Amino acid sequence: MWLYVVAALLGLFLLRRWHRERQTVPRLSEKHVLITGCDSGFGNLLARQLDARGMRVLAACLTDAGAEQLRAATSERLQTVLLDVTCSKSIADVTAWVRQRVGDQGLWGLVNNAGIAIPTAPNEWLTKEDFVKVLDVNLLGLVEVTLSLLPLVRRARGRVVNVASVMGRVSFFGGGYCISKFGVEAFSDSLRLEMHNFGVKVCVIEPGYFKTMITNVENLEKNFHASWEKLPAEIKASYGENYLRSFVAMLKLLQKGFNTDLSLVTNCMEHALTSLHPRSRYSAGWDAKLLYLPLSYLPSALSDALFTMFYPKSVGKA
C-alpha cells in the first residue's frame, strides 16, 4: 500500500516539475544574451541556437576568424565582439559595448562558457604558471566578467549561466582544470544566494565528456609530452616513461566514450535562459548522470579505489 502511495507522490512531483519547467519567459525576442567563448564548441552552437529562436545574441569571440565564421552562419540580429577574459581592459571595453546595446532594458542573460584545459598533466609535472594559465581563463576571468556585467543583469532581473563540469564534482587528474571548475561551483553557489532578492537566477551547467576543442586528444597528447620533456631527470626516473605511455593510452580509451551531441549541453543552457523556472544545476550527458555525479556522493575511499584501478602505475622510485 505504502509503495503505491510513494509511487503516486513521486509521479505527481515529476508531473508538476515537468509542467513548471515548460513555462517560458515572455517576449524572448526582446532579450539580450551575452555568451563568452563563441569561436567553437558549446558557445558557438548556443549562439546559433538562440539566434534561430529570435533572441538578441551578443557573441563574444577570442579571434576575428571565429567571429566572422559565426556571423556568416547566423542572422543579422546576432552581433559579435572580441573578448579576452584574462584582460581587464578587454572586459571593461566589452561591458561598455554591451551597455550601449541593451540600454535601460539591461542584460537578460550572461553565459560564462569560455574555457581551456591545457596545460594539464600529473600535478608534479606542472609549474605554478601552468596552473595560473588555466585558472585565469576558467575561474578568475569568469568572475571578473560576471562582476563587470552584473549591474546590467540585475537591471533586467535576468540570468547568469556558468559552465562548470562534472570535474567540478570529482577530480581525478592534475592541473588547473578541475580546480577551476570546483571554483566555478563555489562562486555560483554564493552568487545564487546573493542574487535571490534581486530576482536574478544563477544556474550551473555540469557537462560530462563531450568532443570539443577542450577534449581534443591530439592537443592533450602534445601537452603531456611537452610537460614530460621539461621534467628533471629525477622526476622522470620516479615515474618512468611507461607512465607517460599509459597516461596517453588511457586518454585515447576515454576518447571513445566522448559524446558528439553538443546540443545535450546547449539545450540545458537554453532552458536556463528561457524557462520561467530554471534549475540551479543541469547535468548533461549519460556519463555525468550515471557515473560522475553518483561517484561524487561516494566516500572518498571508494571513489579513490575506483579511479586507482584505471590510473597508470609509476616505477615507484622515491
Side-chain angles (χ1 to χ4, degrees):
M1 177 63 182
W2 284 108
L3 187 61
Y4 291 111
V5 172
V6 170
L9 290 174
L10 179 61
L12 287 172
F13 168 77
L14 293 174
L15 183 63
R16 180 177 180 274
R17 190 176 79 162
W18 174 80
H19 174 69
R20 278 171 55 85
E21 291 189 347
R22 287 193 65 202
Q23 300 174 49
T24 57
V25 173
R27 301 189 299 277
L28 284 174
S29 61
E30 301 173 12
K31 310 290 187 186
H32 288 85
V33 177
L34 176 73
I35 310 165
T36 67
C38 289
D39 298 78
S40 62
F42 301 137
N44 185 278
L45 179 57
L46 179 65
R48 291 186 278 120
Q49 204 166 306
L50 296 182
D51 178 64
R53 190 158 181 174
M55 298 185 74
R56 301 181 183 184
V57 178
L58 307 175
C61 298
L62 182 61
T63 65
D64 285 308
E68 186 178 345
Q69 290 172 4
L70 182 57
R71 286 195 301 270
T74 52
S75 74
E76 294 181 355
R77 278 189 311 274
L78 182 140
Q79 300 179 65
T80 60
V81 64
L82 296 183
L83 172 63
D84 178 355
V85 299
T86 67
C87 175
S88 295
K89 183 181 184 305
S90 178
I91 293 171
D93 290 345
V94 168
T95 299
W97 179 85
V98 171
R99 186 178 290 111
Q100 289 179 346
R101 277 145 188 82
V102 303
D104 294 335
Q105 186 182 23
L107 179 65
W108 172 254
L110 167 61
V111 182
N112 284 305
N113 166 74
I116 61 172
I118 293 173
T120 183
N123 288 307
E124 195 176 9
W125 298 10
L126 300 171
T127 64
K128 175 186 173 182
E129 289 69 29
D130 292 329
F131 285 85
V132 168
K133 183 176 180 180
V134 177
L135 291 169
D136 272 350
V137 176
N138 294 5
L139 181 57
L140 299 178
L142 178 149
V143 170
E144 187 172 3
V145 168
T146 302
L147 297 181
S148 186
L149 289 163
L150 202 53
L152 295 177
V153 178
R154 280 196 290 104
R155 185 180 302 171
R157 297 174 67 86
R159 309 284 167 81
V160 177
V161 180
N162 291 331
V163 180
S165 168
V166 289
M167 294 299 103
R169 303 289 288 269
V170 293
S171 177
F172 66 89
F173 59 86
Y177 186 80
C178 295
I179 298 171
S180 70
K181 295 306 181 179
F182 269 79
V184 170
E185 296 272 357
F187 175 66
S188 301
D189 283 348
S190 61
L191 188 67
R192 185 177 62 253
L193 295 173
E194 294 165 355
M195 290 294 105
H196 177 76
N197 288 335
F198 293 103
V200 173
K201 299 185 186 300
V202 179
C203 307
V204 181
I205 312 295
E206 299 173 334
Y209 276 94
F210 285 80
K211 194 171 184 179
T212 66
M213 288 302 296
I214 281 185
T215 57
N216 182 278
V217 172
E218 289 74 21
N219 292 340
L220 289 169
E221 185 175 354
K222 288 178 185 176
N223 149 80
F224 290 141
H225 283 283
S227 297
W228 174 262
E229 291 304 321
K230 295 176 185 176
L231 290 177
E234 179 187 359
I235 295 180
K236 284 184 177 180
S238 294
Y239 285 85
E241 284 211 31
N242 190 56
Y243 190 99
L244 172 64
R245 288 192 290 269
S246 298
F247 211 93
V248 172
M250 180 179 68
L251 179 68
K252 290 180 177 179
L253 182 64
L254 283 173
Q255 182 192 26
K256 296 179 180 179
F258 289 179
N259 201 317
T260 58
D261 186 3
L262 304 190
S263 68
L264 294 175
V265 178
T266 57
N267 288 344
C268 292
M269 296 172 169
E270 181 178 346
H271 187 271
L273 292 164
T274 62
S275 173
L276 271 178
H277 305 285
R279 303 179 186 180
S280 297
R281 278 180 168 78
Y282 294 82
S283 59
W286 70 266
D287 55 340
K289 292 181 172 67
L290 302 180
L291 178 59
Y292 295 112
L293 292 184
L295 274 174
S296 71
Y297 293 106
L298 289 179
S300 296
L302 291 180
S303 60
D304 285 356
L306 181 63
F307 287 131
T308 302
M309 289 172 57
F310 299 96
Y311 238 68
K313 301 296 185 289
S314 65
V315 173
K317 294 180 180 178

